Amino acid sequence: MANNLKTKYLKYAVGEIILVVIGILIALSINNWNEGRILQNDTNNTLAQIFNDLQQDKKVLEAFDTVETEHISTLTAIVQDPNNTRGLDGILQSLDHYMSFSINNNGYASLKNSGKISNINNSELKSSLTNYYEKTSENLSIAFHFAEKFTNDRVIPFSIENLKPTIDMSTSTELVLEKLETSNLRYLINYQISVKNYSLGQMKKGLKINSELIQLIEQELSLLK
């Protein structure tokens, strides 16, 4: 009788321990699931911020693309058509102009610094993020810095000395025609066209990568809903 009671008690105790262990495992599983969901939601929110940053970058780069294309076209017409006299008084608006732009990396910096980038399982997305915010950002910075330095160091001093700009950044058509024949203005324009083409090329590459990255994030967020 006593042995039977001990056996029953032992079985009961073991059963209770098993139930407690199962309860603990279930609780841990639920807790881990909740933490994973919170972490994933946090990562998704950061990706959404990056998505907005990219859209802002795209608008700026597209505007710059349009402006630089027009400037290159204007300057090319001036040096290639000796009979052209239209718009020469506004040459400085194209010749003395350069772009200044930095990629908006607030969302990416948050993703990278917090370590949340490791939560992104999509290897293509992760690689594209690094490519845009590290490599493309650096290439754009180099291109814009070079354009800024050349314009400030060479183009603007030449323009001030030789083209006598007015307060509204215009000059004399006759003066431009004269300097095209008697000074280094033609060579300066040609070089500035090359500088602008270099910057424009980097902008177009940046726009392409930007658009592809926007599409990847859209797909990722759609899959995670």
Side-chain angles (χ1 to χ4, degrees):
M1 184 73 173
N3 287 336
N4 289 337
L5 288 174
K6 287 181 180 180
T7 301
K8 288 182 180 179
Y9 177 77
L10 184 60
K11 289 180 178 179
Y12 175 79
V14 171
E16 287 292 311
I17 292 172
I18 291 173
L19 288 175
V20 170
V21 170
I22 291 174
I24 291 172
L25 290 175
I26 292 174
L28 286 173
S29 177
I30 293 173
N31 183 63
N32 290 337
W33 181 82
N34 283 332
E35 287 183 354
R37 185 184 62 177
I38 292 171
L39 190 59
Q40 188 61 62
N41 287 339
D42 194 23
T43 302
N44 293 349
N45 290 336
T46 305
L47 282 176
Q49 182 183 353
I50 293 173
F51 180 83
N52 292 331
D53 293 343
L54 288 166
Q55 287 184 315
Q56 292 177 25
D57 286 352
K58 186 176 183 179
K59 289 179 182 179
V60 175
L61 287 171
E62 285 176 339
F64 281 2
D65 188 343
T66 300
V67 170
E68 281 294 68
T69 299
E70 291 176 354
H71 288 168
I72 291 170
S73 177
T74 298
L75 294 174
T76 301
I78 290 173
V79 293
Q80 289 186 351
D81 184 2
N83 298 316
N84 175 56
T85 58
R86 296 182 59 185
L88 293 185
D89 56 344
I91 185 177
L92 296 177
Q93 296 176 21
S94 296
L95 183 62
D96 290 7
H97 185 271
Y98 61 86
M99 299 297 180
S100 181
F101 168 76
S102 295
I103 282 177
N104 184 355
N105 68 345
N106 291 332
Y108 177 73
S110 173
L111 185 74
K112 182 180 178 181
N113 295 335
S114 65
K116 288 180 286 189
I117 194 169
S118 62
N119 299 324
I120 299 175
N121 296 319
N122 187 329
S123 58
E124 183 182 3
L125 173 56
K126 195 182 299 185
S127 176
S128 295
L129 282 167
T130 303
N131 184 27
Y132 181 75
Y133 284 101
E134 305 291 345
K135 184 177 179 180
T136 301
S137 178
E138 181 180 4
N139 290 341
L140 284 171
S141 178
I142 291 171
F144 289 137
H145 176 71
F146 178 62
E148 178 182 1
K149 183 170 177 57
F150 176 73
T151 303
N152 286 334
D153 292 353
R154 300 296 298 276
V155 178
I156 292 178
F158 178 92
S159 298
I160 292 173
E161 182 177 352
N162 293 276
L163 299 179
K164 314 300 180 186
T166 64
I167 194 169
D168 61 350
M169 286 294 290
S170 63
T171 185
S172 163
T173 298
E174 292 74 18
L175 185 57
V176 174
L177 290 172
E178 175 193 336
K179 295 301 179 181
L180 283 170
E181 299 300 326
T182 62
S183 73
N184 291 327
L185 177 58
R186 187 177 300 275
Y187 302 106
L188 190 71
I189 293 173
N190 282 333
Y191 200 91
Q192 183 69 310
I193 290 173
S194 298
V195 172
K196 287 182 177 294
N197 275 323
Y198 171 59
S199 297
L200 186 61
Q202 294 301 320
M203 276 189 277
K204 289 185 179 298
K205 290 179 182 178
L207 269 171
K208 182 176 182 296
I209 296 171
N210 174 288
S211 298
E212 292 171 351
L213 189 49
I214 285 175
Q215 186 175 7
L216 282 173
I217 292 178
E218 274 185 318
Q219 293 173 351
E220 183 74 6
L221 292 177
S222 177
L223 289 172
L224 294 172
K225 284 181 178 179

